[in-house]
Amino acid sequence: MGKLSILVSLLMGTICLFGCALVSSKLSVNSHYAYSAQAVVSADAPTAYIGHVKDVRIFSDGTGNPADPTPVIASEAERNITIGRKRDGFGQAMAAVTLSSGETVTSLIRSVLEDALADSGFKVIHDKMQVTPNTFVIEADIYKFWLWTEVGFMKAHYVSDIAATIRPSKGSGFSIDLSEKLFVAFYNDAKSTETVHNGLAKFRTAATEKFRAMKDLR
């Protein structure tokens, strides 16, 4: 009976995982969530400026891949807040998962990149008029920012995929492409948000390492 009870519980969890698939979710994502304090920036620190941050993600019409959001995007504004699609127990794409609180995919990545620059010892400036020939100008293309559900035998995970290509004005460009997994038994917006937060934290750490190496080019 013990094994049967566990199996029933897991099956019920899977049903509940998709039970809210018809209802869209809006996640309140904070780009600074659970981050450590930024490093102290010295007075003679090199300056950095974030230029264009573009959302170049491809929304396809459905490939069967569980990571494929397959949404119907009505506008550019809707595109920039849509990060996934809920699925029913048969894998059919259902209600959308979007960002709330005025956040967008581009604003979150911009904020994380600015934090990573500050962590690596740069002085981040926000006024383009303050850019000098010595300023590191950073641009980025975001080609992944997805949240999806990975369902296996007797287990399920939320998965956050985040990837971007970073182009600095000095030195070579680089890409960051990572995934974060979180085990779940029931659908829960808080767990969805936690998965995205953990993914952004990993992205910030990876970007900080790259920017620290870049700083030596000044």
Side-chain angles (χ1 to χ4, degrees):
M1 289 297 293
K3 291 183 178 179
L4 180 60
S5 298
I6 293 173
L7 180 59
V8 170
S9 296
L10 288 168
L11 288 174
M12 289 301 296
T14 301
I15 292 171
C16 291
L17 186 66
F18 295 105
C20 301
L22 293 174
V23 181
S24 61
S25 288
K26 293 185 177 182
L27 306 183
S28 181
V29 177
N30 180 357
S31 63
H32 308 292
Y33 179 82
Y35 289 160
S36 58
Q38 291 182 345
V40 176
V41 178
S42 63
D44 63 343
T47 58
Y49 173 78
I50 303 290
H52 295 295
V53 177
K54 298 179 180 179
D55 178 2
V56 299
R57 295 174 300 157
I58 297 175
F59 290 83
S60 71
D61 58 0
T63 64
N65 186 336
D68 184 354
T70 62
V72 177
I73 301 298
S75 65
E76 192 66 23
E78 184 180 0
R79 169 195 174 89
N80 208 3
I81 64 171
T82 302
I83 63 172
R85 211 63 159 171
K86 294 183 184 179
R87 292 180 181 270
D88 62 19
F90 301 98
Q92 183 72 26
M94 305 295 283
V97 179
T98 64
L99 300 170
S100 65
S101 304
E103 292 289 5
T104 64
V105 168
T106 51
S107 70
L108 286 171
I109 293 298
R110 176 183 290 274
S111 179
V112 170
L113 289 174
E114 289 180 346
D115 287 343
L117 284 165
D119 285 345
S120 28
F122 283 90
K123 178 182 178 182
V124 179
I125 58 178
H126 300 92
D127 185 353
K128 190 175 182 179
M129 298 300 293
Q130 295 179 357
V131 173
T132 72
N134 293 324
T135 299
F136 288 77
V137 179
I138 311 294
E139 297 190 341
D141 289 337
I142 306 162
Y143 57 93
K144 288 183 187 178
F145 198 119
W146 308 129
L147 175 71
W148 53 284
T149 308
E150 177 186 78
V151 179
F153 180 67
M154 295 173 55
K155 66 179 180 180
H157 294 86
Y158 286 141
V159 184
S160 176
D161 291 330
I162 303 176
T165 298
I166 315 298
R167 300 186 305 277
S169 57
K170 301 179 184 181
S172 302
F174 58 90
S175 293
I176 298 174
D177 188 345
L178 53 85
S179 291
E180 171 69 13
K181 285 187 178 184
L182 183 66
F183 172 78
V184 291
F186 298 93
Y187 186 84
N188 187 311
D189 280 356
K191 291 294 185 182
S192 299
T193 304
E194 182 181 352
T195 308
V196 177
H197 280 156
N198 292 344
L200 287 172
K202 288 175 69 173
F203 188 94
R204 174 177 172 172
T205 298
T208 299
E209 293 176 357
K210 294 289 187 179
F211 289 149
R212 280 176 181 158
M214 188 180 72
K215 191 175 66 169
D216 296 335
L217 296 173
R218 63 171 172 163

